[in-house]
Amino acid sequence: MTGGSPVDVLVVGGGPVGLGCALYAARHGLTVQVLEPRSGPVDKACGEGLMPGGVAALAELGVEPDGHAFRGIRYLGPTASAVADFRAGTGLGVRRTELHDRLSAQVARAGVEVLPLALDGLDQHADRVEVRTRGHHGTAGATLAARNVLAADGLHSPTRRLLRLDHPVGGRPRFGQRQHFRVAPWSDHVDVLWGARAEAYVTPVADDVVGVAVLSDHRAPLSEHLTGFRPLLERLARCEAVSAVAGAGPLRQRSRRRVAGRVLLVGDAAGYVDALTGEGISLGLAQARAAVAAVVAGRPSQYERGWVAATWRCSLLTGALRQSTRPRLVRRALVPAAAAAPWVFSAAVNELGRAA
Ligand SMILES: Cc1cc2nc3c(=O)[nH]c(=O)nc-3n(C[C@H](O)[C@H](O)[C@H](O)COP(=O)(O)OP(=O)(O)OC[C@H]3O[C@@H](n4cnc5c(N)ncnc54)[C@H](O)[C@@H]3O)c2cc1C
């Protein structure tokens, strides 16, 4: 049984991209509902650095979270370092809980209902999609009807799996972990430290808190990874940890397509390359805008092109950088190469910075 007439857009997932979809859709006067089973300010393993393009996209949606601004990206290796400042705007380090709070408040102001339900299945019809849901403790929820579904249900998207759109990926899987520490930020850049087997990046997220994220294809506890970054470890040893370690992965995910009938995959659900370049949220917001534009035009299939236009540059750069993490020699040469060719490094950072 479905309850009532279909809404224009049902968003699956109330992460930053899902809530961004809801705001873009509401701005176009569409009727919107969001499904998000997790309650309270939703946290997630994330480096929490918003690129200038993402900061601008949020501001356009009326969302201006508190955080700590950063000027650009600094790469630090054992023998060399390279710095690139953003040419336009600043980035913002922002706790996911703060971002979620601010987006949720704006979604509520837009009159969008967020239902505490998870998508459990779906059936596509010529004029609508019927979505089966489940509530807390796995109890069956209502079946909802929508003219279009925007699935922003994350890296391991249940919607992508249901639609059999998962595409196998090669290479060694990489994983990410993060934790927060109470300490005044010591850099006005996001610092990316290149170790022998992992990359650690430090993002200022408040005047007295930094987030430390570690990425690697070697699975080990965060504390073990940090032993590969002596100076950072020594600094953190004197600081109080203010969050539990959270992890995510495998990071690389691919989808065969972004559109299946009236269902559009957005954000991490549409595919993900790596967290190394920290543009996931900004890119996701650009996808949200493109997906809503396709729905408003009445041509969901148009989103495939919009998705490619929004993502190809960043995917190429992130993919190339991800490749460089593997061969030892290339890995060791990366920071010295960035230091030797600062204009190339700056061009890459600014390309990523304008995502969204
Ligand atoms: C270690 C690490 C570091 C990163 N660093 C950065 C960074 O510095 N900057 C940056 O911009 N990005 C970064 N990213 C990427 C960023 O975290 C993601 O790109 C971003 O979270 C994508 O948002 P999303 O809304 O698509 O997915 P998510 O944030 O994963 O949200 C998906 C939502 O869907 C919900 N959901 C799941 N299943 C269902 C279901 N069945 N029904 C309904 N809802 C469901 C979940 O509860 C969740 O709230 C990093 C990622 C990792 C892993």
Side-chain angles (χ1 to χ4, degrees), residues 322-332:
R322 182 187 193 277
Q323 289 298 326
S324 325
T325 62
R326 193 73 194 116
R328 237 178 225 200
L329 279 179
V330 180
R331 189 179 172 85
R332 263 198 232 132

Side-chain angles (χ1 to χ4, degrees), residues 47 49 51 70 72-84 86 174 186-196 198-204 211-216 226 228-229 232 274-279 321-322 325 331 334-336 338 345 349 352:
M51 292 292 171
F70 57 89
I73 309 291
R74 192 161 67 145
Y75 272 18
L76 301 167
T79 56
S81 64
V83 185
F86 298 124
R174 279 167 48 87
W186 56 87
S187 166
D188 51 5
H189 292 83
V190 169
D191 281 351
V192 182
L193 287 71
W194 288 78
E199 308 89 51
Y201 60 105
V202 183
T203 310
V212 176
V214 170
L215 307 173
S216 182
L226 288 177
F229 303 94
L232 177 62
D274 203 272
L276 193 47
T277 44
E279 80 299 343
L321 199 56
R322 182 187 193 277
T325 62
R331 189 179 172 85
L334 199 95
V335 181
F345 184 49
V349 164
L352 293 163

Side-chain angles (χ1 to χ4, degrees), residues 237-263:
R238 297 189 293 271
C239 311
E240 179 200 358
V242 289
S243 68
V245 177
L251 298 176
R252 186 147 185 248
Q253 302 291 332
R254 283 181 72 192
S255 182
R256 292 179 205 283
R257 286 174 281 124
R258 264 53 53 185
V259 184
R262 291 175 170 271
V263 183

Side-chain angles (χ1 to χ4, degrees), residues 57-262:
L58 286 174
E60 187 199 343
L61 292 171
V63 177
E64 298 192 351
D66 287 334
H68 195 95
F70 57 89
R71 291 196 308 165
I73 309 291
R74 192 161 67 145
Y75 272 18
L76 301 167
T79 56
S81 64
V83 185
D85 285 353
F86 298 124
R87 282 194 283 267
T90 52
L92 188 72
V94 55
R95 281 289 285 120
R96 288 290 293 241
T97 43
E98 160 73 6
L99 181 61
H100 187 261
D101 264 350
R102 295 300 184 105
L103 277 162
S104 296
Q106 191 68 346
V107 161
R109 270 193 288 275
V112 173
E113 194 182 9
V114 180
L115 303 167
L117 298 169
L119 168 139
D120 204 26
L122 57 82
D123 299 301
Q124 300 226 39
H125 300 274
D127 60 342
R128 69 193 189 289
V129 187
E130 283 181 7
V131 172
R132 296 186 293 284
T133 67
R134 59 173 192 280
H136 294 304
H137 313 299
T139 50
T143 297
L144 305 165
R147 291 192 182 85
N148 298 279
V149 169
L150 301 186
D153 46 0
L155 209 53
H156 306 289
S157 165
T159 310
R160 189 178 69 222
R161 198 177 55 235
L162 273 172
L163 294 169
R164 298 180 195 281
L165 291 177
D166 276 318
H167 192 286
V169 292
R172 277 174 72 92
R174 279 167 48 87
F175 298 84
Q177 299 177 68
R178 74 89 180 98
Q179 191 169 24
H180 297 91
F181 297 87
R182 184 156 325 276
V183 57
W186 56 87
S187 166
D188 51 5
H189 292 83
V190 169
D191 281 351
V192 182
L193 287 71
W194 288 78
R197 298 192 72 172
E199 308 89 51
Y201 60 105
V202 183
T203 310
V205 295
D207 293 344
D208 59 349
V209 180
V210 301
V212 176
V214 170
L215 307 173
S216 182
D217 63 6
H218 168 61
R219 294 200 83 168
L222 182 71
S223 54
E224 188 183 319
H225 276 303
L226 288 177
T227 59
F229 303 94
R230 275 274 154 220
L232 177 62
L233 186 66
E234 280 163 18
R235 201 189 274 268
L236 297 178
R238 297 189 293 271
C239 311
E240 179 200 358
V242 289
S243 68
V245 177
L251 298 176
R252 186 147 185 248
Q253 302 291 332
R254 283 181 72 192
S255 182
R256 292 179 205 283
R257 286 174 281 124
R258 264 53 53 185
V259 184
R262 291 175 170 271

